[in-house]
Amino acid sequence: MRFDSDTLEFNKVLNKLVSYASTNLAKSEIEELKPENNFSNIGEKLDEVEEALNSIIKYDSLPLGGIYNIKNSVIRSSLGGILNASELLDISSTIAGISNILKYRSYLNSQKISVINLNKYFDGLIYNQKLKNEINTAIDTKGMVVDNASPGLFLVRKNLNSAQNRLRSKMNELLISRASQLTENLIVSRGNRLCLPVKAEFKNTFGGIIHDESSSGTTVYIEPSSCIELSNQIESLINQEKKEVELVLKGLSLLVSSDSENLLSNLTILTNLDIIYAKALYAKAYDMTKPEINENGYVNLIKARHPLIDKETVVPTDIYFGKEFNIIIITGPNTGGKTVVLKTVGLLTLMMQSGMFIPAAIGSKLAVFDNVFVDIGDEQSIEQSLSTFSSHMTKICNIVNQINYNSLVLLDELGSGTDPKEGASLAISIIEYMKERGTRVITTTHYSDLKAYAYSKNDICNASVEFNSETLQPTYKLLMGVPGKSNAILIAQRLGLNEKILANARELMDNRVTDSQELMEKLDVENAKISSIKNEYEHMISEYNSRISELEKEKNNLTQNREKFIESAKKEADEIIEKAKLDSLELIEKIEKMKANQNFKEHELADIKYTVRNLTKKEIESKLFDENLQIGDFVHIGSYNKDGIIINIKKDKYDVQVGQFTMTFKKSDLTKTKAPAKRKETKSRMQNKVTSNAKLELDLRGFRYEEVASEIDSFIDQAYLANMSMISIIHGFGTGAVRDAVQSYLKRSPYVKSYRYGGEGEGLNGVTVVYLK
């Protein structure tokens, strides 16, 4: 098996593909991607890319954020190595990334988006939530091992913090008491020991260890005698802290080691998924399609584009072989696009055999070959002192010795670089040899003898690149069944060559035309007519297929846009609701400021709070009908959750009396309601009731993360209305999830002045003490 990838510049295609991959592992593997010749494997890979592309179009791409190359870290842990905090966080992040991918698969399933071929990857992923939680509990997002990672570490850091505070206190006392002996009123660090800047004249009487001296010699940095023992204690505690941290990291590394097999398997699966989705994203960006593949050597490319030429300027190519004929001889002028045709066929074959879609129209067919041999270019081999002819012939010798019936051979200017008659004869002999072995061959040439040879063989096809005789420019369009012409005399005429020279050239050419050449010219005319009709029909079929493809894309886009629109609408509705909540909370604050001067009832304030916190889309969207409102009607003001009575109407302005106030609203703000019932409870009774129900502490141990907000909400309401200034929330140590939920809520609450962890006798970090406004 041999594929001349370098000659075809397949590496440039892979470089484009790399840009669509997310992980470094996938990028590295793509750079080393090689074509294969296993028909079933290739078909399976193309099916996988098809499913990935379909899921991207109908939903979104695979979420691969947070996936790291943890391979070396996992292997090192399995060999007994201790991982650092950064490595452990990468492992935790990768596990979290697996969770996101499994959620992605669940969504695809819920939307009936088929991923039958991708399921083997999704099913193979193992999500170790316990390991992730263990790492996240012990290490914070900055990569620091937290105090609560182990009892030993907690105790050591507590003692260390206490000792450091005592040392600072002693040093501060000396700053004051020995100020006259110091050059500056500050504490400095020298060699991890705290020192004071002492005037040089007091260095023998100050007492302590000299650790440094200023460049001028006027200041010496002395560690006071009274601080030496405490500094030694701190140094010892720091060493103990390092050992405790190392024990935590070792324990976590052992957990990684015990799951190393699953972690490495996950990494392989994630890399494969990244490569598949990168191929799909590349296909989407360049309008590529899935080719139909076969093992019969049949190729039929429709509107095929060279993948390295800008899709806006490249001229699509239609080319087919492998049924009526296995060999194509392409003729035509230089720079007419003959070599581009060769490279397009070769590159698209390599892309397909690497499990990639191709830039061609729907319905294009490609064969899976064992070998793709290429000889393109006319450079001389300077190192070997070979001529152009010798260089080409050396390559062709190697090709001839390796070909079989399932090989594709692409030859540029076969037989060139020597005498035309001899070169043409050699070229025909080479083609005959390859034809006998069933090899598929596409070759370019300038030799007329090869065109005549092709006419005499039913299993060889002439083709050419079209040339516009009016503009003297190639169109780069391939014409199957039509041989090309050099057009040398015509080009010379257009460029202004002397007419006498042109006439003589025509006469010489006419004298050299043989009967067979005359027949060939007549055949060229007939072939051109037939080819024109055939191209017209093929163009119609291609347009039909293209329209089907466009309609399919439009359908997919509509589906995708519909889902995105729904998501966008939901997001917009949520934002409206959140804004309504914030506006209402501001209103509550204003009402509370007015409490001292106005007759507000506490239970009405509680009603407002309850309504704001439980505001829903239904309440916002319920006002969908029109009502006939008149003076004297009782109405409900949705934005304030209050009832009132209409006392005046002027166009779309409604004056509503709400308690002691008169406010103006639009009709859309009001809903007709019944007259309100009289309230029975007095302010003092309600306050007594609230006060009796209020508690000083809330115990959330055993609660789930999502249950925390509603519990705190009710608890703070009771405490606030009971005029409590300080409360306690018990959340315990645990994984820290409940603690994080508590503090996340407190940050957003307008009723919280400040909060802190519990101190000695208050529950330490297992309790949050809250001060209310």
Side-chain angles (χ1 to χ4, degrees):
M1 185 171 69
R2 172 181 151 184
F3 300 98
D4 289 342
S5 303
D6 292 343
T7 306
L8 291 170
E9 299 180 301
F10 184 55
N11 64 305
K12 293 184 178 180
V13 174
L14 296 182
N15 288 339
K16 286 182 175 290
L17 178 59
V18 162
S19 66
Y20 292 95
S22 298
T23 64
N24 290 331
L25 268 175
K27 292 177 188 290
S28 298
E29 291 208 12
I30 288 173
E31 289 172 352
E32 302 299 323
L33 195 62
K34 306 290 183 188
E36 61 174 304
N37 65 344
N38 187 304
F39 181 79
S40 60
N41 282 354
I42 294 169
E44 189 175 334
K45 288 179 179 178
L46 291 173
D47 290 341
E48 291 169 357
V49 175
E50 182 178 37
E51 286 184 352
L53 180 58
N54 188 43
S55 66
I56 291 170
I57 292 172
K58 291 185 176 179
Y59 175 46
D60 202 353
S61 187
L62 190 70
L64 285 161
I67 306 296
Y68 292 94
N69 182 3
I70 58 174
K71 185 176 181 178
N72 291 337
S73 300
V74 173
I75 291 174
R76 192 154 54 81
S77 73
S78 67
L79 297 174
I82 298 176
L83 307 182
N84 60 41
S86 178
E87 290 175 301
L88 289 164
L89 284 180
D90 285 351
I91 291 170
S92 170
S93 177
T94 301
I95 296 172
I98 291 170
S99 175
N100 293 333
I101 289 170
L102 293 176
K103 289 176 184 176
Y104 174 86
R105 194 269 289 268
S106 295
Y107 182 84
L108 295 181
N109 289 341
S110 70
Q111 299 299 309
K112 303 293 188 293
I113 300 173
S114 176
V115 284
I116 295 173
N117 293 283
L118 295 177
N119 273 335
K120 62 178 177 287
Y121 299 107
F122 293 127
D123 291 339
L125 291 172
I126 298 172
Y127 174 53
N128 191 339
Q129 184 176 6
K130 182 179 179 182
L131 176 57
K132 179 178 78 73
N133 289 343
E134 289 286 349
I135 294 172
N136 291 347
T137 300
I139 303 173
D140 64 21
T141 55
K142 296 179 181 178
M144 298 295 295
V145 177
V146 300
D147 297 352
N148 295 326
S150 73
L153 181 60
F154 180 83
L155 183 61
V156 167
R157 283 187 174 168
K158 180 183 176 183
N159 293 337
L160 177 60
N161 187 52
S162 176
Q164 288 173 333
N165 287 337
R166 292 199 305 274
L167 178 60
R168 281 280 176 184
S169 179
K170 275 184 177 264
M171 297 292 280
N172 285 327
E173 289 174 3
L174 289 171
L175 280 176
I176 297 171
S177 62
R178 309 288 288 275
S180 61
Q181 297 176 310
L182 305 178
T183 57
E184 291 182 271
N185 187 29
L186 55 81
I187 301 170
V188 298
S189 178
R190 290 292 185 273
N192 294 325
R193 308 287 279 202
L194 294 185
C195 301
L196 295 176
V198 179
K199 295 176 182 177
E201 58 265 31
F202 297 108
K203 68 178 181 180
N204 295 322
T205 59
F206 190 84
I209 299 174
I210 298 174
H211 286 278
D212 198 5
E213 185 176 343
S214 67
S215 56
S216 63
T218 59
T219 302
V220 290
Y221 299 98
I222 298 177
E223 179 183 9
S225 301
S226 59
C227 298
I228 292 174
E229 184 178 348
L230 195 51
S231 294
N232 290 338
Q233 184 183 350
I234 289 172
E235 194 170 311
S236 175
L237 287 168
I238 289 173
N239 290 330
Q240 290 180 44
E241 181 194 22
K242 289 179 181 178
K243 291 179 181 178
E244 290 294 336
V245 167
E246 187 173 343
L247 285 173
V248 172
L249 296 178
K250 183 177 182 180
L252 293 173
S253 299
L254 287 172
L255 292 177
V256 172
S257 175
S258 65
D259 197 43
S260 59
E261 187 175 338
N262 290 333
L263 290 170
L264 292 174
S265 174
N266 283 342
L267 203 59
T268 300
I269 292 171
L270 292 170
T271 302
N272 288 332
L273 282 171
D274 194 2
I275 293 172
I276 293 166
Y277 272 82
K279 290 176 179 177
L281 289 168
Y282 183 29
K284 184 174 183 289
Y286 284 81
D287 298 325
M288 297 184 186
T289 63
K290 176 185 175 184
E292 299 174 22
I293 64 174
N294 64 86
E295 296 180 278
N296 305 318
Y298 177 54
V299 172
N300 182 16
L301 290 172
I302 306 167
K303 290 189 174 181
R305 293 172 278 118
H306 192 292
L308 300 178
I309 300 176
D310 190 300
K311 66 179 181 179
E312 302 300 327
T313 59
V314 66
V315 177
T317 298
D318 292 342
I319 186 169
Y320 53 90
F321 58 90
K323 282 189 177 179
E324 292 86 0
F325 51 86
N326 291 341
I327 297 173
I328 300 175
I329 297 176
I330 304 176
T331 51
N334 288 329
T335 69
K338 300 191 299 297
T339 305
V340 171
V341 172
L342 294 183
K343 288 188 173 182
T344 299
V345 175
L347 271 177
L348 268 55
T349 298
L350 296 186
M351 289 173 71
M352 174 272 293
Q353 293 192 216
S354 300
M356 299 169 65
F357 279 21
I358 61 171
I362 293 173
S364 293
K365 298 174 175 61
L366 281 173
V368 175
F369 292 106
D370 293 336
N371 308 287
V372 176
F373 298 109
V374 183
D375 176 30
I376 293 176
D378 59 358
E379 72 284 351
Q380 296 187 20
S381 179
I382 297 173
E383 290 181 1
Q384 298 178 12
S385 300
L386 297 177
S387 67
T388 300
F389 176 77
S390 298
S391 176
H392 277 298
M393 201 50 56
T394 300
K395 294 177 183 177
I396 290 171
C397 287
N398 290 329
I399 292 172
V400 166
N401 292 334
Q402 297 180 62
I403 60 170
N404 62 9
Y405 75 96
N406 196 35
S407 295
L408 172 63
V409 179
L410 306 172
L411 304 173
D412 194 23
E413 301 295 347
L414 180 60
S416 63
T418 187
D419 175 76
K421 284 291 181 184
E422 194 172 3
S425 299
L426 190 58
I428 291 170
S429 182
I430 291 169
I431 291 172
E432 280 288 328
Y433 181 85
M434 293 183 178
K435 187 180 71 166
E436 289 172 3
R437 280 150 185 78
T439 304
R440 272 64 175 170
V441 181
I442 306 177
T443 182
T444 66
T445 185
H446 283 100
Y447 295 152
S448 296
D449 288 353
L450 263 69
K451 291 190 284 185
Y453 163 71
Y455 269 125
S456 66
K457 303 293 180 181
N458 293 329
D459 51 1
I460 299 178
C461 177
N462 266 319
S464 61
V465 286
E466 191 176 52
F467 184 83
N468 189 321
S469 58
E470 295 297 323
T471 63
L472 300 182
Q473 294 294 324
T475 66
Y476 303 103
K477 182 179 180 181
L478 183 69
L479 302 175
M480 295 292 290
V482 181
K485 298 180 180 179
S486 66
N487 296 293
I489 294 177
L490 178 61
I491 294 172
Q493 181 183 12
R494 297 285 186 183
L495 294 175
L497 187 63
N498 185 286
E499 183 59 35
K500 186 176 180 179
I501 297 173
L502 292 171
N504 188 40
R506 291 191 191 97
E507 184 179 348
L508 289 171
M509 188 177 73
D510 290 342
N511 291 336
R512 294 177 60 188
V513 172
T514 63
D515 292 339
S516 61
Q517 286 174 314
E518 288 179 356
L519 178 61
M520 282 174 57
E521 288 189 0
K522 291 179 181 179
L523 287 172
D524 285 350
V525 173
E526 293 301 318
N527 270 332
K529 291 179 181 178
I530 294 170
S531 179
S532 177
I533 295 170
K534 180 174 177 291
N535 287 338
E536 184 178 349
Y537 279 104
E538 285 181 347
H539 178 73
M540 292 170 64
I541 293 169
S542 177
E543 288 294 323
Y544 174 75
N545 289 333
S546 176
R547 183 57 182 154
I548 291 175
S549 175
E550 288 174 4
L551 289 172
E552 186 66 28
K553 284 182 181 179
E554 287 178 13
K555 177 186 172 184
N556 289 334
N557 287 336
L558 285 172
T559 301
Q560 185 180 21
N561 290 336
R562 174 181 172 274
E563 292 170 355
K564 286 184 177 179
F565 177 77
I566 291 171
E567 288 298 319
S568 176
K570 288 179 180 177
K571 182 179 179 182
E572 186 176 352
D574 289 340
E575 288 174 355
I576 292 171
I577 292 168
E578 189 61 30
K579 185 179 184 304
K581 288 183 179 180
L582 292 173
D583 290 344
S584 300
L585 286 171
E586 288 179 7
L587 176 62
I588 291 172
E589 288 182 7
K590 290 179 183 178
I591 293 172
E592 289 176 2
K593 289 177 182 178
M594 296 169 63
K595 280 201 307 184
N597 302 320
Q598 302 293 336
N599 186 25
F600 282 93
K601 294 181 174 61
E602 298 292 348
H603 65 278
E604 290 181 342
L605 181 59
D607 286 346
I608 292 174
K609 289 183 182 179
Y610 178 84
T611 302
V612 169
R613 292 195 180 97
N614 292 278
L615 193 61
T616 64
K617 294 176 187 175
K618 182 177 179 182
E619 290 173 310
I620 288 178
E621 297 169 354
S622 63
K623 187 63 180 164
L624 298 175
F625 56 90
D626 196 9
E627 291 178 305
N628 184 22
L629 300 178
Q630 299 176 355
I631 294 174
D633 284 345
F634 285 92
V635 290
H636 179 76
I637 304 106
S639 58
Y640 288 85
N641 194 30
K642 300 288 290 182
D643 292 339
I645 185 170
I646 298 174
I647 60 174
N648 187 40
I649 301 175
K650 187 176 182 180
K651 293 184 178 181
D652 192 39
K653 303 293 184 182
Y654 290 72
D655 294 335
V656 181
Q657 185 172 337
V658 183
Q660 301 178 29
F661 303 96
T662 298
M663 305 172 76
T664 303
F665 300 94
K666 293 181 180 179
K667 187 176 181 180
S668 58
D669 296 327
L670 308 175
T671 305
K672 188 183 288 186
T673 187
K674 295 179 181 179
K678 293 183 178 180
R679 301 187 181 275
K680 296 179 180 180
E681 288 190 299
T682 65
K683 177 179 177 181
S684 59
R685 286 178 62 193
M686 176 56 73
Q687 284 182 321
N688 290 337
K689 181 179 176 182
V690 170
T691 305
S692 65
N693 290 335
K695 298 177 182 178
L696 288 172
E697 65 180 30
L698 172 65
D699 192 345
L700 292 176
R701 287 174 295 184
F703 280 74
R704 295 195 299 273
Y705 182 97
E706 58 270 20
E707 297 173 333
V708 170
S710 60
E711 292 294 325
I712 302 177
D713 205 36
S714 175
F715 176 56
I716 288 181
D717 268 350
Q718 295 291 335
Y720 190 84
L721 294 176
N723 292 320
M724 293 180 180
S725 60
M726 186 181 77
I727 55 175
S728 297
I729 300 176
I730 304 170
H731 43 68
F733 296 94
T735 64
V738 174
R739 177 193 63 210
D740 293 343
V742 168
Q743 297 192 357
S744 176
Y745 177 93
L746 296 176
K747 284 179 184 178
R748 300 193 306 270
S749 175
Y751 310 110
V752 174
K753 182 178 180 181
S754 63
Y755 58 92
R756 62 174 174 81
Y757 283 126
E760 292 287 344
E762 292 180 316
L764 300 175
N765 289 10
V767 172
T768 295
V769 178
V770 184
Y771 297 94
L772 300 177
K773 292 181 180 178

